[in-house]
Amino acid sequence: MSTLAETPLAKSKREVIEQAVIRFAGDSGDGMQITGSQFTNTVALYGNDIATFPDYPAEIRAPAGTLPGVSGYQLHFSSSEVYTPGDAVDVLIAMNPAALKMNLADLKANGILIVNSDAFKEGDLRKAQMTSNPLEDHSLDKYRLFSVEAQRLTRAALQHLGIDAKAMDRCKNFFALGMCYWLYNRSMDPTFRWIDEKFSKKPLVAEANKLALKAGYSYCEATEAFQVSYEIPPAKLEKGFYRSLSGNQALALGFVTAAQKSGLTLFLGSYPITPASDILHELSQYKNFGVMTFQAEDEIAAMTSTIGASYAGALALTTTSGPGMALKTEAMGLAVMTELPMVIVDVQRGGPSTGLPTKTEQADLLQALFGRNSEAPIPVLAASTPADCFWVAVEACRIALKYMVPVIVLTDGYLANGSGPWRIPEIEDIPAIPVSFATDPATYEPYKRDPQTLARPWAVPGTPGLEHRIGGLEKKDGSGNINYEPLNHENMVRIRAAKVAGIAQDIPDAVPEGDAEGDLLIIGWGSTCGSITAAVKPQRAKGRRIGHVHLRHLNPLPKNLGEVMKRYKKVLVPELNMGQLLWVLRAKYLVDAIGLNKIQGRPFKQNELEVKIEELLGV
Amino acid sequence: MSTLAETPLAKSKREVIEQAVIRFAGDSGDGMQITGSQFTNTVALYGNDIATFPDYPAEIRAPAGTLPGVSGYQLHFSSSEVYTPGDAVDVLIAMNPAALKMNLADLKANGILIVNSDAFKEGDLRKAQMTSNPLEDHSLDKYRLFSVEAQRLTRAALQHLGIDAKAMDRCKNFFALGMCYWLYNRSMDPTFRWIDEKFSKKPLVAEANKLALKAGYSYCEATEAFQVSYEIPPAKLEKGFYRSLSGNQALALGFVTAAQKSGLTLFLGSYPITPASDILHELSQYKNFGVMTFQAEDEIAAMTSTIGASYAGALALTTTSGPGMALKTEAMGLAVMTELPMVIVDVQRGGPSTGLPTKTEQADLLQALFGRNSEAPIPVLAASTPADCFWVAVEACRIALKYMVPVIVLTDGYLANGSGPWRIPEIEDIPAIPVSFATDPATYEPYKRDPQTLARPWAVPGTPGLEHRIGGLEKKDGSGNINYEPLNHENMVRIRAAKVAGIAQDIPDAVPEGDAEGDLLIIGWGSTCGSITAAVKPQRAKGRRIGHVHLRHLNPLPKNLGEVMKRYKKVLVPELNMGQLLWVLRAKYLVDAIGLNKIQGRPFKQNELEVKIEELLGV
Amino acid sequence: MTTAALPQLTKKDFQTDQEVRWCPGCGDYAILSAVQSVFPELGIPREKFVVVSGIGCSSRFPYYMNTYGFHSIHGRAPAVATGIKAVRPDLDVWVATGDGDALAIGGNHTIHMLRRNVGIKVLLFNNRIYGLTKGQYSPTSEYHKVTKSTPYGSPDRPFNPISLAIGSEATFVARSVDVFQAHLKDTLKHAAVHRGSAFIEILQNCNIFNNGAWEGITEKDARSEHVIQLEHGKPLVFGKNRDKGIRRLADGDIEVVPLGDKYTEKDLIVHDAHHPRASYAFLLSHMEHRPGFPTPIGVLRAWDDLPRYEDVMNDQLKEVTAKKGRGDLAKLFRAGDTWEVK
Amino acid sequence: MTTAALPQLTKKDFQTDQEVRWCPGCGDYAILSAVQSVFPELGIPREKFVVVSGIGCSSRFPYYMNTYGFHSIHGRAPAVATGIKAVRPDLDVWVATGDGDALAIGGNHTIHMLRRNVGIKVLLFNNRIYGLTKGQYSPTSEYHKVTKSTPYGSPDRPFNPISLAIGSEATFVARSVDVFQAHLKDTLKHAAVHRGSAFIEILQNCNIFNNGAWEGITEKDARSEHVIQLEHGKPLVFGKNRDKGIRRLADGDIEVVPLGDKYTEKDLIVHDAHHPRASYAFLLSHMEHRPGFPTPIGVLRAWDDLPRYEDVMNDQLKEVTAKKGRGDLAKLFRAGDTWEVK
Ligand SMILES: Cc1ncc(C[n+]2csc(CCOP(=O)(O)OP(=O)(O)O)c2C)c(N)n1
Ligand SMILES: Cc1ncc(C[n+]2csc(CCOP(=O)(O)OP(=O)(O)O)c2C)c(N)n1
Ligand code: SF4
Ligand code: SF4
Ligand SMILES: [Mg+2]
Ligand SMILES: [Mg+2]
């Protein structure tokens, strides 16, 4: 915190507040994702609880200054627990008119609006399809507008470096970041460190960025622009070491952990696809952990190479998003038939078809459950927060290896790119994942099962005496030979189903957060966890009797779920789809659960949930 | 009927009976499928109602004489209505020990068993894994065994032709067929005609087959082998011209009909797969009907070429079975997004994965409904009998063209290969399928909808002034431009769903067969129709109050279905899967319906259904 | 519509009102401009053009062409286009695709379309990277390339798209470069008149994720030293001063020779784009991998003596109809054995 | 296990108790027998063999080999095998596949496996038909072929599997024939010692659906007239009386010449299977389409100077580990900025 300390105390007022929501918005080329993640890193290091929501366009780089080119990054940070990136924004940084137009609706009345006034020339306005200049036409009067010549001021600060105007302009996001650090009384040190590391080979660029950052900070200091600055004390999180992780990073770490805990080589067969590609990028760096990544020619090869790697004894994994999952389904049937352990990650995105590639959605649940020919049951897990992705990855591997089954993990674009604090576990506290390979020719039969788990033995090529053949045709129970007998087929179909259903005995019961019985049970899954938690809290504070079950295991479901539902008068299932879990719960439990469905490529707002809760409770 | 008339009246007794079930079984190389279909053709021509069930091994030709090599063909023919190929068999023809072993269990006690005794030598028995000769060890005593030296007698009859032994032996199935014709007093003429046509270029082969046929017939005549022969009078079917069709043939005819009725070119993009390939084979013959068949490099190309053909203005079709359907799912999402009309046929087979390729199953319903990424609703139809395949094909095209949607048609291996009588409709009685292409640039918008059907206009390339772009990204309502706005997305998802749901207004209500209200409603779909009908009849005759709804439209469901269910105390859903329609009905109607599930690669037996009915009715 | 009645189209007629969403500086702009310039010169009514694409930066192409356009799914453009062409052989169907789209996920459709000789023109934008997904290596990326997904270098040897196309029996194979506008337009025109499948690899710069991938070819100085421009009937000469050429050796192989005293243009291979056999083009396609040899651009092979797939299909329909008469549904219904119930 | 300790394996060791389910007379039997004869001679323990297949008659192959076997799904064997090889480079992985399996639905995996040079041996049973699905034409069926799905003749030009493999940068390409047992075994042995991808097209007779497809090659008389047996270092001679040969022309092309007064073996091309450049093999691969030219069998190309894919992958793991040390999970967890809550 040295920088802060060195800075003479500002004359402006300092207010201590509990939390804030800040959004950086600008052109895709303006570096908003970096700006946002630097701010996040800084507040997280300081000890605030955080939740982030990056939101960027599908196009690599839409024309500069246009509406489709706007990129945003939202952060909610707080001295108490944070569940969502926040519905509405306290501070909006808009680097150009297009960013202003696309984001203003979410700024709270009287919220702080920082704009780069240098980008509001006639041409800029036209690109944003604006007919008059909002900085002049009083349309922003209900906000606390801070119109800053960020570009000119940045250039002024960097002039002496002798770099060209373009290079100087590229630093103006750090000018804005400096302003925000001042506004929230934060140290610039973490970002200085990051800049030094990132541009270690380009000292001039490092210098420029650091100067821009300082310039923004000093600008506030000198001009007393804001009158007031804010202090958000550290949150009282569970004790321990923390780190900020995105969902994709957390997944990658989880799989590496499971590989270490099981003593297996991790093999990833994958084909890049938004928003799952980062898992491939992450894992391709961990070669010294024995992690092998294979960038396949398509999703089918990704899936089938994963099956091959599993057959050969690796902890095998494939990662994709909805359209890629659709391509894997035939091969997933083969994984079911051969009963080999592996994990299939689907980072869901908006659909159908190519849909809204960078937007979030939860609409692949039914595909995960049923998207294969014939009866091909697969366990399905879903992560609820970025950090939870780590634990879900470990759990998926545990189930896959223990039961010799493919396991599907569902996350989504919101979890994948959003980040939150992850409490770093002690390695010893993570249970080992025992694996045993068959080696004894005397007792080996390819489809002889463990009576407890119904798992078949894993006999990898290279093991003397266990030579055997497997494949996609129906197998004789026990021997695994091809078999088309009617009763054997029925038996095998039922065994495969029973094996998956039996996992219910091996997972925790559903324990509602909040009221253990009452008027309303909310059942959620996946990335809606934060929004639901955030909505339930104030509602319960108003005396309403609400429970919240957030499902990690979607197949099989916790064995007590039916019983839990009976303890409440109503059941609400909020989903970012047209009601997929709802459908499953209705079919399985014949419960007249009610859906709250949003299909906008965006998470729920806390408020949307609260409105629905109140509607259902008739208050 | 000349042959019959010329034959001096047999001295043996002739009994008039109502119906019979006959099964031909032998090695795959023995020509059992031809034998069976010739017998079928003959009795159908005579006017009996029929239902057939061919059952053959997955292997092209397993080793001769082995159990996996056995091929069977069962026919149920009757002077009254026939619903199934029959549970148990009155007459079994077994050409070798393996065929005997695999089929004997289905022969009724005291049933007629004709065996080719020449094939019961030691080596033959060994190949069938038999330790003693059943023709000698009295294990067949409870049947009326006719042990006939079919091979020797055939050779004797053909000796003078100067062909080799192998060629002579190849005719022994016709010897057996001749015997059956005698047994059921049938004319050999239709088969003579077929032989003459089939072997028009090989007169010696034709002669040999005809002689073998006559030899079998005369053998019975001369030896009075059977003592008794049977007469099954023609059935009193609805008036009209009839023809025997397999489900695959009926589908092909239906699509040609829809093409003619809509005035469009029929385009089939397909990749061969059992048991769907015959549709491709059939349609590839209809070139003078303007039918274009494209054998693609895989199912993905089959599906996407179909999309291309639809875009270009054809009535586009793709045909496959479960594993191929799994490969099409990503592209089916594109079909949903681009709202182009086409039909996707899935001839279901046993699974999962490669499964039991030649066996039947109904386990792709959930894949059809949900097997795509995100919310991608598609109408789903199912055919209930081979002849119904014709009408379902026409209906699928009607819906596709009227609503501008892809439509899925489900049949299965049992319907595909089984055959039944098809009442030939008058061309004029089949309604035209009106199609209109957009042509007016002044009013054209790619996603402007018909307010009634919600269909978008069909503007095919080549139309001046309507140049436009479509694709898999989310579209702006109306213009069809790429659009990622949250509310537009939600709106479009709901419109696509509403369009499909709206078809419920355009399909018949569910009208139960049998009792319109009562103790039990049986809801079925697909190929179980015959078995359910057959089971309900005797149960109702016993005074039990049962209704039967057989669903042709599985998505959307008939709009009154929920109301219909309420009129019965219990609902039973028999399916050849683990309960897929059951799942849908429970979710949608919250009705505690009960499943009867069989996953043996085989249709229900009438008896299995009756047992379940009685169990549910507590009788 | 007769050709005479065709309104004179201009480049503008082929531009759409859609904002072009490529990064500033992307090579795709140049390709778009070239195509928009060439289309009006082809004498084909605008409504007869269909541009089909898969997914990728390059696959946004159809949105910017004021023709019929289909932005399909990743890798499947050749199959979608085949369906269109089969049904409507009169349409002029172009596929815009990337090195990932056409050669990774779509490799199978590409090679099958080529072997079938479907009358489709394929513009393969080869930037040796996955642009849209932000920088993973592609099937044309160099061995050992460091990318987002290969921080320690890629373990894959690349395809040579031209060699692969020739191995797939392609009847027209050409290469051009985004920034060589005149050459690119010329190459497009050659492709446009080819009746069968035309495969055009366009070297394209992705200035965001793989900037300078083709520098060795496009740099002013490099251009003439490292590139050989193939022209039918002309000898294989290259070099800034046209001072180098390619000569046949006795063992069938080729060598680069300096032009001057020992060798003159007469000693060089004369380019024969219309050679009936593919082995000559194959040899040319592989030379860029050899030290000292230039990269060939232009039309390597244009052998148009084979029927187009869609024509064979449609001719079959006509022939069978001529032979059997137009299908009569009533007759078809009653084909085979029928019986009457009275 | 050291090689010295290896028990002497025999053909019998590689036979399973499964009933072989191919039609009597099918060419697959001969291929099975050849492979079962060659495997014991390779000095590799039986448990190290893995045979992977897709779907088709040919793909039932693994069931009859008493090794590890994986009968996967249609077209995907190369990808399954790549997963196996990546993880376990010590295994000897063979793929058994058909012309439909490898070149129709599986075309993409085949070409990508070849370009990557994954150390897998591919046995492509080419019967020019889909056997298992009862007789539709395949990507190697002749143009205009009448089959179940093409009653009026197929509109597709076939792939030449050898040319396609060479266009895909295959490092080992060979051809043999089911009934040429000695030649087949010899070819298999060559493939077995190749470290990179080995692609072997085996002409196979489907006596049920495409009987006699290779008659022009296998018939006693035809054999020596229409087939040329390539042997490294030997001149290209063929003919019943070894009276014909293949000679290079000045323009790089080749011609068939009679041996005798005018030409002797010295004038002929000497086969160089280990030529670093693929164009020679490509030229050979295409000659069978020309009148008067024979079909080449034997090893067309065996260029083993390139690293295997799986080795590059595994070496990267080792190198990075050597450089960075074995991964420490606790350190990885704490990488980047962390903070403590007390
Ligand atoms: C089924 C599927 N898998 C993956 C993707 C993600 N994806 C989109 S474009 C692309 C590759 C693009 O590379 P290229 O074809 O070279 O086009 P470029 O962007 O470089 O022009 C990938 C992997 C997708 N859209 N769909
Ligand atoms: C996804 C899928 N599509 C189609 C099939 C049907 N099918 C099985 S094998 C085969 C082709 C077999 O031909 P080939 O590979 O040449 O093998 P052969 O039987 O001739 O040895 C086809 C189309 C399948 N099993 N799976
Ligand atoms: S990412 Fe590369 S290829 Fe894509 S638009 Fe930008 S510069 Fe062009
Ligand atoms: S169908 Fe042909 S390829 Fe298949 S087993 Fe029979 S003969 Fe062999
Ligand atoms: Mg690219
Ligand atoms: Mg084949």
Side-chain angles (χ1 to χ4, degrees), chain A residues 39-294:
Chain A
F39 195 87
T40 301
N41 188 33
T42 298
V43 304
L45 273 181
Y46 180 66
N48 293 126
D49 197 9
I50 55 164
T52 73
F53 181 44
D55 190 18
Y56 50 84
E59 286 72 36
I60 289 309
R61 206 157 292 180
T66 61
L67 298 171
V70 173
S71 171
Y73 187 106
Q74 180 166 324
L75 166 70
H76 185 180
F77 60 117
S78 173
S79 57
S80 59
E81 253 184 290
V82 152
Y83 308 108
T84 76
D87 286 9
V89 170
D90 298 300
V91 177
L92 172 65
I93 293 89
M95 299 301 284
N96 69 13
L100 181 67
K101 189 168 179 176
M102 296 290 281
N103 291 284
L104 193 62
D106 293 331
L107 183 61
K108 289 181 187 162
N110 209 33
I112 292 177
L113 172 62
I114 303 174
V115 300
N116 167 23
S117 59
D118 289 332
F120 280 71
K121 310 221 174 64
E122 218 181 284
D124 304 315
L125 296 172
R126 209 179 324 108
K127 278 192 219 153
Q129 300 173 20
M130 284 180 173
T131 44
S132 79
N133 188 341
L135 305 186
E136 294 161 2
D137 67 6
H138 296 279
S139 61
L140 303 174
D141 283 0
K142 63 168 171 168
Y143 309 104
R144 283 183 278 164
L145 173 66
F146 298 90
S147 182
V148 183
E149 297 164 287
Q151 181 174 340
R152 192 182 62 76
L153 293 168
T154 304
R155 285 194 191 178
L158 308 187
Q159 220 167 0
H160 64 284
L161 292 181
I163 58 178
D164 64 19
K166 225 171 151 183
M168 290 195 278
D169 289 351
R170 239 183 263 127
C171 299
K172 66 179 181 295
N173 58 325
F174 276 78
F175 186 93
L177 182 61
M179 291 179 67
C180 296
Y181 282 157
W182 186 91
L183 186 61
Y184 287 103
N185 272 287
R186 292 304 156 102
S187 162
M188 289 182 281
D189 282 353
T191 299
F192 285 158
R193 280 202 304 272
W194 178 85
I195 291 172
D196 281 336
E197 199 170 310
K198 169 100 181 169
F199 300 109
S200 64
K201 284 177 190 146
K202 298 178 182 165
L204 206 59
V205 177
E207 187 57 23
N209 277 301
K210 286 196 278 188
L211 279 175
L213 190 65
K214 280 189 205 159
Y217 197 100
S218 316
Y219 170 80
C220 299
E221 192 68 23
T223 63
E224 290 180 36
F226 290 121
Q227 316 286 348
V228 58
S229 76
Y230 300 101
E231 166 73 33
I232 298 180
K236 279 154 286 297
L237 297 174
E238 197 185 339
K239 268 186 197 169
F241 278 92
Y242 282 80
R243 172 179 172 192
S244 167
L245 280 185
S246 73
N248 278 345
Q249 286 174 321
L251 274 178
L253 270 188
F255 288 119
V256 174
T257 303
Q260 298 272 314
K261 285 287 169 182
S262 59
L264 299 175
T265 294
L266 182 64
F267 174 93
L268 168 67
S270 189
Y271 186 73
I273 186 167
T274 306
S277 311
D278 279 339
I279 311 171
L280 166 64
H281 303 160
E282 287 286 321
L283 286 176
S284 64
Q285 293 167 9
Y286 300 152
K287 300 221 185 294
N288 56 332
F289 287 84
V291 176
M292 185 172 276
T293 54
F294 169 59

Side-chain angles (χ1 to χ4, degrees), chain B residues 63-136:
Chain B
T66 60
L67 298 170
V70 172
S71 169
Y73 187 105
Q74 179 166 326
L75 167 69
H76 184 180
F77 60 117
S78 172
S79 57
S80 60
E81 254 184 289
V82 153
Y83 308 109
T84 75
D87 286 8
V89 170
D90 298 300
V91 177
L92 173 65
I93 293 90
M95 299 301 284
N96 68 12
L100 182 66
K101 188 167 180 177
M102 296 290 281
N103 291 282
L104 194 63
D106 292 331
L107 183 60
K108 289 180 187 163
N110 209 31
I112 293 177
L113 172 61
I114 303 173
V115 300
N116 167 23
S117 58
D118 289 333
F120 280 71
K121 310 219 175 65
E122 221 182 284
D124 305 315
L125 296 171
R126 208 179 324 108
K127 280 191 215 151
Q129 300 171 17
M130 285 180 173
T131 45
S132 80
N133 188 341
L135 305 186
E136 295 162 0

Side-chain angles (χ1 to χ4, degrees), chain A residues 271-273 299 327, chain B residues 330, chain C residues 55-58 74 98-101 105 127 129-133:
Chain A
Y271 186 73
I273 186 167
E299 282 86 354
L327 286 169
Chain B
E330 196 221 352
Chain C
I55 300 286
C57 295
S58 34
H74 198 27
D99 41 326
D101 195 55
I105 193 168
N127 55 14
I129 201 83
Y130 292 170
L132 189 70
T133 48

Side-chain angles (χ1 to χ4, degrees), chain A residues 60 271-274 277 295 298-299 320-325 327 349 354 357, chain B residues 330, chain C residues 22 28 54-60 73-76 97-105 125-134 136 138-140 204 206:
Chain A
I60 289 309
Y271 186 73
I273 186 167
T274 306
S277 311
Q295 183 175 313
D298 64 13
E299 282 86 354
T320 190
S321 183
M325 175 93 148
L327 286 169
R349 66 187 216 184
T354 314
Chain B
E330 196 221 352
Chain C
W22 287 312
D28 292 355
I55 300 286
C57 295
S58 34
S59 289
R60 313 228 22 156
I73 45 175
H74 198 27
R76 317 304 173 190
T97 181
D99 41 326
D101 195 55
L103 299 178
I105 193 168
F125 296 39
N126 184 4
N127 55 14
R128 311 189 88 173
I129 201 83
Y130 292 170
L132 189 70
T133 48
K134 311 201 169 175
Q136 302 81 12
S138 90
T140 59
Q204 172 243 332
C206 166

Side-chain angles (χ1 to χ4, degrees), chain A residues 287-340:
Chain A
K287 300 221 185 294
N288 56 332
F289 287 84
V291 176
M292 185 172 276
T293 54
F294 169 59
Q295 183 175 313
E297 57 271 25
D298 64 13
E299 282 86 354
I300 301 176
M303 184 71 223
T304 45
S305 63
T306 298
I307 292 173
S310 167
Y311 174 66
L315 176 56
L317 167 69
T318 186
T319 51
T320 190
S321 183
M325 175 93 148
L327 286 169
K328 290 180 201 282
T329 56
E330 197 222 351
M332 285 163 63
L334 179 65
V336 169
M337 201 59 138
T338 52
E339 304 190 35
L340 287 166

Side-chain angles (χ1 to χ4, degrees), chain B residues 335 339-343 377-379 396 399-407 496 499-500 503:
Chain B
E339 304 189 36
L340 287 166
M342 70 199 73
V343 178
I378 296 186
I399 292 177
L401 293 167
K402 179 166 174 185
Y403 294 90
M404 291 289 286
V405 275
V407 174
R496 286 186 289 263
K499 181 163 90 160
V500 172
I503 298 169

Side-chain angles (χ1 to χ4, degrees), chain A residues 330, chain B residues 60 271-274 277 298-299 320-325 327 349 354 357, chain D residues 22 28 54-59 73-76 97-105 125-134 136 138-140 204 206:
Chain A
E330 197 222 351
Chain B
I60 288 309
Y271 186 71
I273 186 167
T274 305
S277 311
D298 64 12
E299 281 86 355
T320 190
S321 184
M325 176 93 149
L327 286 169
R349 65 186 215 184
T354 314
Chain D
W22 286 313
D28 291 356
I55 301 287
C57 294
S58 34
S59 288
I73 45 175
H74 198 27
R76 317 303 173 190
T97 181
D99 41 325
D101 195 56
L103 299 178
I105 193 169
F125 296 40
N126 184 4
N127 55 13
R128 310 190 88 174
I129 201 83
Y130 292 170
L132 189 70
T133 48
K134 311 201 171 176
Q136 301 82 13
S138 90
T140 60
Q204 172 243 332
C206 165

Side-chain angles (χ1 to χ4, degrees), chain B residues 73-411:
Chain B
Y73 187 105
Q74 179 166 326
L75 167 69
H76 184 180
F77 60 117
S78 172
S79 57
S80 60
E81 254 184 289
V82 153
Y83 308 109
T84 75
D87 286 8
V89 170
D90 298 300
V91 177
L92 173 65
I93 293 90
M95 299 301 284
N96 68 12
L100 182 66
K101 188 167 180 177
M102 296 290 281
N103 291 282
L104 194 63
D106 292 331
L107 183 60
K108 289 180 187 163
N110 209 31
I112 293 177
L113 172 61
I114 303 173
V115 300
N116 167 23
S117 58
D118 289 333
F120 280 71
K121 310 219 175 65
E122 221 182 284
D124 305 315
L125 296 171
R126 208 179 324 108
K127 280 191 215 151
Q129 300 171 17
M130 285 180 173
T131 45
S132 80
N133 188 341
L135 305 186
E136 295 162 0
D137 67 6
H138 296 279
S139 60
L140 304 173
D141 282 359
K142 63 170 173 168
Y143 309 104
R144 283 182 278 162
L145 173 66
F146 298 91
S147 181
V148 183
E149 297 164 285
Q151 183 174 341
R152 193 184 60 78
L153 292 167
T154 304
R155 285 194 191 179
L158 308 187
Q159 218 168 1
H160 64 285
L161 292 180
I163 57 178
D164 64 19
K166 224 168 152 184
M168 288 195 280
D169 290 350
R170 236 181 266 128
C171 299
K172 66 178 181 293
N173 58 325
F174 276 79
F175 185 93
L177 182 62
M179 290 180 69
C180 297
Y181 282 157
W182 186 90
L183 185 61
Y184 287 103
N185 272 286
R186 291 305 157 100
S187 163
M188 290 182 279
D189 283 353
T191 299
F192 285 158
R193 278 202 304 273
W194 179 85
I195 292 172
D196 282 336
E197 200 171 309
K198 170 99 182 169
F199 301 109
S200 64
K201 283 177 191 147
K202 297 179 183 164
L204 206 60
V205 176
E207 188 57 25
N209 278 301
K210 286 196 281 187
L211 279 175
L213 189 65
K214 280 188 205 159
Y217 197 99
S218 314
Y219 170 80
C220 300
E221 193 66 24
T223 62
E224 289 179 39
F226 291 119
Q227 315 286 348
V228 57
S229 75
Y230 301 100
E231 165 75 34
I232 298 180
K236 279 154 284 298
L237 298 173
E238 197 185 339
K239 267 185 197 170
F241 279 92
Y242 282 80
R243 173 181 172 191
S244 167
L245 280 184
S246 73
N248 277 345
Q249 286 175 322
L251 274 178
L253 269 189
F255 288 119
V256 174
T257 303
Q260 298 272 313
K261 286 287 171 181
S262 59
L264 299 175
T265 295
L266 182 64
F267 173 93
L268 168 66
S270 188
Y271 186 71
I273 186 167
T274 305
S277 311
D278 279 339
I279 312 171
L280 166 63
H281 304 160
E282 286 286 319
L283 286 175
S284 64
Q285 293 167 9
Y286 300 153
K287 300 222 184 295
N288 57 331
F289 286 84
V291 175
M292 186 172 275
T293 54
F294 170 57
Q295 183 177 313
E297 57 271 25
D298 64 12
E299 281 86 355
I300 301 175
M303 183 71 222
T304 45
S305 63
T306 298
I307 293 173
S310 167
Y311 174 66
L315 175 56
L317 169 68
T318 186
T319 51
T320 190
S321 184
M325 176 93 149
L327 286 169
K328 290 179 200 283
T329 56
E330 196 221 352
M332 284 163 62
L334 179 65
V336 169
M337 201 59 139
T338 52
E339 304 189 36
L340 287 166
M342 70 199 73
V343 178
I344 299 137
V345 174
D346 175 1
V347 184
Q348 302 162 97
R349 65 186 215 184
S353 193
T354 314
L356 299 86
T358 57
K359 307 293 173 193
T360 201
E361 208 161 84
Q362 296 188 299
D364 292 351
L365 175 58
L366 292 175
Q367 174 177 239
L369 291 170
F370 305 122
R372 291 166 289 283
N373 56 302
S374 191
E375 301 287 352
I378 296 186
V380 179
L381 309 186
S384 55
T385 65
D388 188 44
C389 287
F390 175 88
W391 294 106
V392 166
V394 174
E395 170 72 350
C397 295
R398 179 188 77 86
I399 292 177
L401 293 167
K402 179 166 174 185
Y403 294 90
M404 291 289 286
V405 275
V407 174
I408 293 172
V409 168
L410 297 176
T411 76

